[in-house]
Amino acid sequence: QQEQERAAAAAKQKQEAAAARAKAEQDLREKEQAERERQEGEKAERERQERQQRERAAALAQKERERAAAERAEFERLEQERADAAFAEQLQREAQGGGGDGGKAKGK
């Protein structure tokens, strides 16, 4: 009977050790899974922030392109106005018979 009790105690001890090992392995798997999920969450957050930053930079660049295009268009409009005014002035001078010398050549 003593031998039987020793065998039962040894079997129980072996079973407890196996259960403890299984629990430790399970705990380790859960810890590794939690760490993976944490890292994936951090990576997703980093990617989201980077994407937002790229989108903001692209929006700023687009705004700058639009501003530059509007500035060019305004410059071209003003240049055209100046050219039209100069042309109209020249037409007016020619219509008055100035011919470019202002009528001074006739008097000499």
Side-chain angles (χ1 to χ4, degrees), residues 1 9 12 15-16 41 46 49-50 53 56 60 67 69 75 85 88 99-100:
Q1 182 167 350
K12 185 177 181 186
Q15 185 180 9
E16 287 172 353
R46 257 193 325 277
Q49 288 179 356
E50 288 168 2
Q53 196 171 0
R56 279 194 300 269
L60 256 109
R67 187 200 60 73
F75 177 77

Side-chain angles (χ1 to χ4, degrees), residues 7-82:
K12 185 177 181 186
Q13 191 176 10
K14 195 174 180 181
Q15 185 180 9
E16 287 172 353
R21 193 169 46 253
K23 174 148 180 35
E25 289 171 358
Q26 177 66 26
D27 289 350
L28 181 61
R29 279 193 299 273
E30 289 173 359
K31 186 177 179 181
E32 288 170 345
Q33 178 66 26
E35 179 62 17
R36 271 194 304 275
E37 289 172 1
R38 184 190 65 76
Q39 289 177 354
E40 288 168 5
E42 287 177 357
K43 181 181 177 191
E45 177 61 20
R46 257 193 325 277
E47 289 171 351
R48 184 189 68 76
Q49 288 179 356
E50 288 168 2
R51 188 174 51 252
Q52 268 188 337
Q53 196 171 0
R54 283 192 305 273
E55 289 169 357
R56 279 194 300 269
L60 256 109
Q62 178 63 28
K63 227 175 188 175
E64 179 58 24
R65 283 191 297 274
E66 289 170 1
R67 187 200 60 73
E71 205 171 88
R72 271 193 310 278
E74 178 65 8
F75 177 77
E76 289 167 5
R77 184 186 68 76
L78 291 172
E79 282 295 302
Q80 188 62 49
E81 270 183 23
R82 278 195 282 274

